[in-house]
Amino acid sequence: MDEEYDVIVLGTGLKECILSGLLSVDRLKFMMANGSLVRVLIHTDVTKYLYFKAVDGSYVYNKGKIYKVPATDVEALKSPLMGIFEKRRARKFFIYVQNYDENDPTTHDGMDLTRVTTRELIAKYGLDDNTVDFIGHALALHRDDRYLYEPALETVKKIKLYEESLARFQGGSPYIYPLYGLGELPQGFARLSAVYGGTYMLNKPECKVEFDEEGKVCGVTSEGETAICKKVVCDPSYLPNKVRKIGRVARAICIMSHPIPNTNDSQSVQIILPQKQLGRKSDMYLFCCSYSHNVAPKGKYIAFVSAEAETNQPEVELQPGIALLGPVDEMFFDTYDRFAPVNEPSLDNCFISTSYDATTHFETTVQDVLAMYTNITGKVLDLSVDLSAASAAEE
């Protein structure tokens, strides 16, 4: 262990493993089928170690029931979520989004989406609150309603991403999930790092980050041995004095013997419960997978219900999501605190990830990873990749 490294990455969480893979190639929580994580997988060529399968269904909770999420003008006309006049208004909105090209002003309909707020854009089409709810939360995947008061461009991009991802594998949802479960992701990046010369040291207890007289990181000590380094990448648990608590996540893990009711017997499904529908400050998420993704025995299903904890009774808080599951064989509850870094990496060379949020997709996770990558290397990762490289994931 007494050697010198450019970067030491502490921990084998998803963020840390992605960064170890990216940094190795650079020589130094479900995902969207066209999203940032898939682009990272292709950029690093880690797809050679992974197989994916499309998730069967994408649903949204509305007035006590769940509905398939309409993502195009055609689906809007068929959706029972909206009345006939609202369907027409929603169809016009979806056509606008589908045709929108940031670099082609003729598609902007006279609006500058870097200045027009999402609420102003929606008002132009006269959409009601229920429609705004599923567009903002189930399509654009915003976690709360702050996006309504922000420039509309980001929301339009997110909706386009959803639509493109839905079209990619022509399934019932825009999501893909690794065969054999999420553990395959960090494992794939770990292999990638090793291929490019990264060294993995497993079962190293009580890793202590060492600092020099100027307060800069200079190494990591474990079992009396110190590895010298210029930079450290880690999660908040390794440097508790350099982070602050930003929230708490509540989660229920449920084992069942049937698919979630009212999802067309989907073997895998994501359901988003928008905050307004529950009288909450943030959304609730429900994801279910099964033997179809090789994560459970045949006939068994695993469901996760998660949310930002807003009370001290997570079991009660998660009931709206749990109630959608039907009979549950066994249930486990879990809560954990969320932390964010407060240090200045340019001063101490410590690059600390933010704790995972309650979402069941990976867009926020990868945003954190990409921001950390830029801080570590001083470069922006180019993710303009050929997405057809992931076509093997279809099976």
Side-chain angles (χ1 to χ4, degrees), residues 18-195:
I18 293 176
L19 281 165
S20 69
L22 287 171
L23 294 171
S24 298
V25 170
D26 197 45
R27 289 292 191 263
L28 275 174
K29 264 139 142 344
F30 244 4
M31 62 207 74
M32 302 287 274
N34 268 24
S36 300
L37 182 51
V38 171
R39 292 173 184 272
V40 169
L41 298 177
I42 295 168
H43 172 86
T44 56
D45 205 23
V46 81
T47 45
K48 68 175 70 171
Y49 307 120
L50 297 165
Y51 292 92
F52 294 89
K53 188 175 179 181
V55 172
D56 292 340
S58 176
Y59 289 78
V60 64
Y61 179 87
N62 184 271
K63 296 179 180 176
K65 297 181 180 180
I66 55 174
Y67 300 87
K68 188 178 185 305
V69 177
T72 65
D73 58 312
V74 175
E75 288 188 347
L77 288 175
K78 297 177 182 176
S79 176
L81 262 173
M82 300 170 284
I84 186 164
F85 295 113
E86 185 67 6
K87 284 179 180 179
R88 290 175 182 170
R89 290 188 286 267
R91 178 176 179 271
K92 289 179 181 176
F93 175 78
F94 283 127
I95 290 174
Y96 171 77
V97 171
Q98 287 162 23
N99 293 336
Y100 184 86
D101 180 345
E102 191 176 357
N103 300 313
D104 181 1
T106 63
T107 67
H108 297 181
D109 200 16
M111 291 181 286
D112 180 357
L113 297 193
T114 63
R115 296 176 179 272
V116 173
T117 67
T118 307
R119 183 174 283 288
E120 289 168 339
L121 174 63
I122 286 168
K124 179 179 170 66
Y125 289 90
L127 302 178
D128 71 24
D129 285 348
N130 282 327
T131 306
V132 173
D133 236 13
F134 80 74
I135 287 175
H137 295 265
L139 289 176
L141 302 181
H142 290 295
R143 290 178 288 164
D144 53 44
D145 280 345
R146 284 178 293 181
Y147 75 96
L148 290 169
Y149 308 97
E150 296 169 352
L153 180 60
E154 191 62 27
T155 294
V156 168
K157 284 182 176 179
K158 285 173 174 283
I159 298 169
K160 286 181 75 71
L161 170 62
Y162 188 102
E163 293 171 348
E164 291 161 3
S165 299
L166 186 64
R168 176 148 183 72
F169 293 125
Q170 298 177 343
S173 86
Y175 304 108
I176 56 176
Y177 194 77
L179 291 179
Y180 304 103
L182 293 180
E184 293 297 291
L185 285 171
Q187 180 176 256
F189 281 103
R191 289 182 190 174
L192 179 78
S193 179
V195 165

Side-chain angles (χ1 to χ4, degrees), residues 197-268:
T199 301
Y200 265 77
M201 301 180 191
L202 301 178
N203 196 27
K204 286 291 179 184
E206 298 177 6
C207 290
K208 182 190 176 194
V209 181
E210 305 286 357
F211 296 90
D212 62 20
E213 303 79 22
E214 297 177 353
K216 287 185 181 292
V217 69
C218 60
V220 175
T221 299
S222 176
E223 298 180 312
E225 295 180 306
T226 300
I228 306 302
C229 66
K230 302 180 184 76
K231 298 175 181 178
V232 159
V233 176
C234 64
D235 68 48
S237 67
Y238 288 92
L239 292 168
N241 61 328
K242 291 181 180 286
V243 298
R244 66 180 177 88
K245 183 177 174 180
I246 56 171
R248 198 158 161 257
V249 171
R251 188 169 57 158
I253 304 166
C254 306
I255 300 172
M256 309 180 301
S257 300
H258 59 85
I260 294 177
N262 306 309
T263 62
N264 198 28
D265 289 335
S266 295
Q267 301 301 301
S268 54

Side-chain angles (χ1 to χ4, degrees), residues 59-61 66 260 263 269-273 284-286 324:
Y59 289 78
V60 64
Y61 179 87
I66 55 174
I260 294 177
T263 62
V269 66
Q270 162 140 297
I271 303 171
I272 292 179
L273 293 77
M284 188 174 294
Y285 302 88
L286 197 167
L324 299 175

